[in-house]
Amino acid sequence: MHFSLLAVCSLLTAAVAAPAPSSKRHVVHERRSRLPTQWRKNAKLHGDSLMPLRIALAQSNLDRADEFLMEVSHPDSPNYGKHWSAKKIAETFAPSEETVTSVLNWLADYGITSDRVKQSQSLNWIHVNITVSEAEGLLNTKYYEYKHSSTHDTHLACDEYSVSEDVRDHIDFITPTVHFDAKIKNPRKKRSMNDNQIAVAKRQTAAAGHNVQPGIGHSIGSPGDASLPKDGGRVPFGTILSELENCDVSIVPDCLRALYEFPPYFPANPKNSFGIVEYTPQAYLPSDLDMFFANFSPSQVGDRPIFDSIDGGLLQTEVESFDYNGESDLDLEYGMTLVYPQKVTLYQTGDLLEGASFNNFLDAIDGSYCTYDGGDDPNQDGIYPDPYGSGYGVYKGPENCGGFAATKVISTSYAYNEADLTPFYENRQCNEYLKLGLQGVTFVYSSGDYGVAGNGGQCIDPVTGNYTNGTYGMFNPSFPGTCPYITSVGATQVKPGASVTQPEEAAESVIYSGGGFSNVFSVPSYQKSAIAIYFAEHKPPYGPDRYNTSEHSRGLPDVSANGVNYVIAIDGSFSYVYGTSASTPTFGSILTLVNAARLDIGKSSVGFINPTIYQYPGIFNDITEGGNQGCGTPGFEAVTGWDPVTGLGTPNFPRMLKVFLELP
Ligand SMILES: *[C@@H]1O[C@H](CO)[C@@H](O)[C@H](O)[C@H]1NC(C)=O
Ligand SMILES: *[C@@H]1O[C@H](CO)[C@@H](O)[C@H](O)[C@H]1NC(C)=O
Ligand SMILES: *[C@@H]1O[C@H](CO)[C@@H](O)[C@H](O)[C@H]1NC(C)=O
Ligand SMILES: *[C@@H]1O[C@H](CO)[C@@H](O)[C@H](O)[C@H]1NC(C)=O
């Protein structure tokens, strides 16, 4: 939670008589070890100030969620492919009646009667407006105002809080308490921009020939976001090389088909569509699609993706440049060509002013996520109707909660640094990928383009926790790459001078494949043996000042695909691009073809693939050369077997198809 103290003070009401303190024992529920950088404790809050308290209720069966997912995703399970309905998932994980009653009784013990309490429809959380002194009694804590030294934002928080012993197991967490915003390390700057800063940004934008709203820091999709693909410059006129001999310098769709041995035309299954997520202001240009199709897939000229507009998502045409069209043009030109004639669904997410986050997208394909576990974080996620302005491209409609169907494979070429978000925020989102996996959806995410460093080359100072200039510091893996319930895709390249039949190596041109080990998520069961072998046979030469050496944390990426020298049509000409942003839709396309084949014979989609791919590493071309330098080190090395550079390797379609077709 993050809100202005003024708002709190303006809500002053007559103090409610404090009830006699309960005799039940308080136990500490959450405690913060240190203040996040730049936050300072300010004044104690007045006891009569009113604040909105939210209690996230413990869900039933969450401890068994991983087991449920393995049951439908592990190749040895007799229930492989028997995915769950959304209804079954909601019922299985809803807080129990006992949980709800215990928490309501606990509140009533403190004089907070049920008429003041609101419960979300999904029963996942409880909301009550409460005075600071009531909250201090209930939670046995003291509330303070905190101030951010550079943005001057204020925040209401305490150092620790307790709950009554008999409800501790029924409560996940309570806000506002010890949590600080994920957003602060990587703020969406718009909100804290003062008028002067806005004026400067507007002038800069105008000077650059841009008409859209001033840049908003680094919400995903903002121009300059380091997870976007890298511009390799124009392909010189007349030199588009479409022969297979030139795949080491120019990747075109036929190179990918040759490398991974998949066909140019795979009969369409009507139930099949490949989902590609884009975040406004990123947008594709129809004329670019046609230019690409005319050269590489002539029968598709005029073809467009199915367009799902989420939270006002629109195809802006105010600004046309690599920074605004590169990602979407790349994803759609390759995605649409490689899965042809399967359909492609474009999930265009967020309006022009505010933009959006992964959570906004997940809300749209699963309405229950909107309120799950306390709901979205208003500081990190887009809020709709957009409160920040009005006019063209500003979405004033309600936030999309459900209503959009999830495709079987969903490809996202954007990513955060794991260190930019809180573990709570990440766990909440990661559990959502698990639940969608239970429903048979595969998520592929790019692993990042800066090797062991984070977006833009950021590394972490081991002492201050600040980001360094990238020449030293701790490695900085990407999120959601570190979530064990998605498939993280790294990048490879054709070796200079080599042909498409020779093994590729880790990408080392312009970009370096993102990879490493999580600081938040422990190693999932399906990856345990691959990680153990990696450490036994190829222990990296770095200590805990560089990465999580526990040998028990989630490693990434899982797989890889070519990400170097892609030729795309952009803003009316052909350019080269680089990035795991390219690898991800390529890998997602191949899975979409596997799904088509399974659906054709009446089988389910592949869903969460990781347990299968780690069991059958032979369906990949193992990549054993190259590394992913970063933070002033050579990074990790690609080795035999799984490695934190290229994962299990690049796909071999015939072998992959065979394994997945044999599964029930
Ligand atoms: C690092 O963070 C501290 C606060 O924790 C801040 O005072 C300091 O200026 C930061 N250093 C740099 C080089 O940004
Ligand atoms: C708390 O107060 C706000 C602002 O007055 C109101 O919108 C909200 O519905 C209230 N919540 C509850 C649970 O009463
Ligand atoms: C990066 O920071 C380190 C430590 O402060 C310094 O020694 C180095 O010169 C800096 N390098 C660059 C390229 O700024
Ligand atoms: C290493 O990862 C584990 C999760 O597997 C985490 O619990 C632990 O805190 C991490 N260690 C460090 C030093 O970040």
Side-chain angles (χ1 to χ4, degrees):
M1 271 314 282
H2 175 88
F3 61 95
S4 122
L5 187 65
L6 279 179
V8 174
C9 294
S10 67
L11 286 172
L12 278 181
T13 56
V16 181
S22 160
S23 56
K24 282 176 193 140
R25 213 164 76 84
H26 268 104
V27 285
V28 172
H29 200 58
E30 286 189 284
R31 176 184 283 144
R32 189 183 43 246
S33 52
R34 65 181 175 90
L35 266 184
T37 24
Q38 297 203 283
W39 284 101
R40 297 284 171 268
K41 195 187 260 186
N42 237 8
K44 171 86 186 60
L45 277 180
H46 193 286
D48 290 342
S49 309
L50 205 60
M51 61 188 220
L53 194 77
R54 295 204 295 177
I55 303 174
L57 300 174
Q59 300 174 83
S60 309
N61 296 315
L62 203 56
D63 53 330
R64 298 187 59 198
D66 181 86
E67 175 196 330
F68 296 147
L69 181 65
M70 291 311 130
E71 168 114 11
V72 298
S73 318
H74 196 284
D76 293 343
S77 164
N79 289 322
Y80 179 89
K82 294 194 179 130
H83 299 131
W84 291 20
S85 67
K87 184 163 174 283
K88 179 172 176 186
I89 290 171
E91 285 168 2
T92 304
F93 296 108
S96 67
E97 213 163 290
E98 187 202 344
T99 289
V100 178
T101 322
S102 311
V103 172
L104 290 179
N105 288 343
W106 172 56
L107 292 173
D109 280 351
Y110 283 83
I112 302 156
T113 46
S114 58
D115 53 316
R116 292 171 60 196
V117 174
K118 268 190 209 150
Q119 231 176 299
S120 71
Q121 210 174 0
S122 54
L123 301 184
N124 279 328
W125 55 282
I126 283 179
H127 183 179
V128 58
N129 290 329
I130 187 173
T131 66
V132 165
S133 52
E134 280 180 310
E136 291 182 339
L138 183 72
L139 304 175
N140 194 23
T141 188
K142 295 282 173 223
Y143 274 96
Y144 293 87
E145 183 205 29
Y146 291 78
K147 204 167 188 129
H148 193 265
S149 59
S150 59
T151 64
H152 305 295
D153 281 346
T154 56
H155 180 85
L156 174 63
C158 53
D159 296 330
E160 65 168 44
Y161 68 98
S162 303
V163 300
S164 155
E165 200 164 20
D166 51 350
V167 293
R168 69 189 302 181
D169 292 338
H170 297 300
I171 292 176
D172 266 357
F173 71 99
I174 300 177
T175 69
T177 54
V178 298
H179 312 276
F180 274 79
D181 306 315
K183 184 192 152 204
I184 294 309
K185 262 191 185 162
N186 187 10
R188 195 157 52 219
K189 295 204 180 76
K190 167 183 20 172
R191 279 213 243 180
S192 45
M193 269 184 168
N194 61 33
D195 288 349
N196 189 37
Q197 288 169 311
I198 290 171
V200 169
K202 275 189 171 150
R203 271 201 307 279
Q204 287 169 343
T205 331
H210 299 173
N211 271 322
V212 289
Q213 294 291 336
I216 310 302
H218 276 78
S219 72
I220 40 175
S222 346
D225 176 2
S227 71
L228 298 174
K230 312 299 171 278
D231 187 355
R234 291 224 179 146
V235 176
F237 183 74
T239 60
I240 293 258
L241 307 164
S242 46
E243 284 90 47
L244 288 180
E245 298 84 78
N246 299 311
C247 296
D248 61 327
V249 291
S250 265
I251 290 288
V252 297
D254 275 343
C255 294
L256 298 168
R257 294 184 180 116
L259 283 165
Y260 309 131
E261 299 179 45
F262 62 100
Y265 180 97
F266 206 82
N269 183 291
K271 286 193 212 151
N272 203 22
S273 180
F274 178 30
I276 292 181
V277 194
E278 301 292 345
Y279 290 89
T280 314
Q282 298 302 315
Y284 82 84
L285 290 179
S287 51
D288 287 344
L289 290 195
D290 284 341
M291 183 177 169
F292 187 84
F293 293 149
N295 275 266
F296 300 111
S297 189
S299 53
Q300 285 186 275
V301 172
D303 205 359
R304 300 290 177 261
I306 297 163
F307 185 72
D308 282 357
S309 163
I310 295 172
D311 291 342
L314 77 169
L315 297 175
Q316 65 83 21
T317 51
E318 319 299 274
V319 187
E320 295 182 9
S321 73
F322 188 89
D323 272 353
Y324 290 82
N325 307 121
E327 183 72 71
S328 300
D329 278 351
L330 164 66
D331 297 345
L332 290 166
E333 288 169 12
Y334 278 83
M336 291 178 73
T337 302
L338 298 181
V339 303
Y340 180 75
Q342 322 292 315
K343 291 184 297 244
V344 167
T345 300
L346 166 62
Y347 297 106
Q348 184 75 37
T349 310
D351 76 357
L352 203 48
L353 179 61
E354 190 183 3
S357 69
F358 300 146
N359 279 347
N360 293 105
F361 168 66
L362 293 168
D363 285 338
I365 57 166
D366 177 8
S368 77
Y369 186 62
C370 291
T371 51
Y372 160 68
D373 218 1
D376 286 351
D377 177 345
N379 296 294
Q380 184 68 31
D381 304 320
I383 313 170
Y384 290 102
D386 189 329
Y388 301 114
S390 55
Y392 172 71
V394 181
Y395 179 62
K396 290 295 188 185
E399 181 181 324
N400 287 124
C401 280
F404 289 91
T407 55
K408 305 292 183 203
V409 175
I410 295 177
S411 171
T412 307
S413 292
Y414 302 73
Y416 294 99
N417 299 329
E418 186 183 63
D420 286 343
L421 303 160
T422 61
F424 164 70
Y425 183 96
E426 290 168 334
N427 272 293
R428 174 177 182 268
Q429 189 175 105
C430 190
N431 284 338
E432 177 66 9
Y433 295 121
L434 186 160
K435 289 178 183 175
L436 288 159
L438 264 176
Q439 291 177 62
V441 179
T442 315
F443 282 91
V444 290
Y445 272 94
S446 51
S447 71
D449 298 338
Y450 295 87
V452 291
N455 277 335
Q458 293 163 320
C459 307
I460 305 164
D461 186 302
V463 178
T464 65
N466 295 359
Y467 280 153
T468 71
N469 60 15
T471 61
Y472 72 101
M474 292 190 66
F475 302 165
N476 195 1
S478 66
F479 180 84
T482 55
C483 164
Y485 304 120
I486 62 100
T487 301
S488 173
V489 186
T492 55
Q493 65 184 22
V494 177
K495 289 181 206 168
S499 82
V500 287
T501 57
Q502 290 171 281
E504 290 183 86
E505 62 186 358
E508 292 192 327
S509 311
V510 182
I511 60 142
Y512 296 90
S513 182
F517 297 90
S518 174
N519 295 312
V520 174
F521 295 97
S522 53
V523 63
S525 54
Y526 62 78
Q527 201 184 33
K528 271 187 179 147
S529 122
I531 295 263
I533 292 170
Y534 172 75
F535 280 106
E537 297 179 0
H538 307 281
K539 201 177 176 75
Y542 307 115
D545 57 331
R546 289 296 189 178
Y547 79 107
N548 190 332
T549 50
S550 66
E551 304 188 10
H552 293 290
S553 72
R554 150 88 163 139
L556 73 155
D558 296 298
V559 297
S560 50
N562 192 291
V564 167
N565 296 325
Y566 275 54
V567 173
I568 63 165
I570 167 133
D571 303 326
S573 36
F574 284 106
S575 283
Y576 288 114
V577 304
Y578 301 79
T580 48
S581 281
S583 317
T584 306
T586 294
F587 190 79
S589 295
I590 290 171
L591 286 180
T592 299
L593 302 185
V594 173
N595 272 342
R598 276 183 60 92
L599 294 169
D600 280 349
I601 55 170
K603 292 189 174 182
S604 69
S605 59
V606 292
F608 181 54
I609 60 168
N610 294 12
T612 307
I613 63 178
Y614 280 86
Q615 174 126 332
Y616 295 100
I619 63 183
F620 293 93
N621 307 304
D622 193 4
I623 305 297
T624 58
E625 286 177 65
N628 59 354
Q629 65 175 53
C631 305
T633 74
F636 298 109
E637 274 174 39
V639 295
T640 304
W642 179 87
D643 55 69
V645 185
T646 58
L648 297 165
T650 61
N652 174 277
F653 182 72
R655 284 182 261 144
M656 187 180 253
L657 187 64
K658 182 164 183 292
V659 163
F660 279 109
L661 283 182
E662 279 170 5
L663 289 175

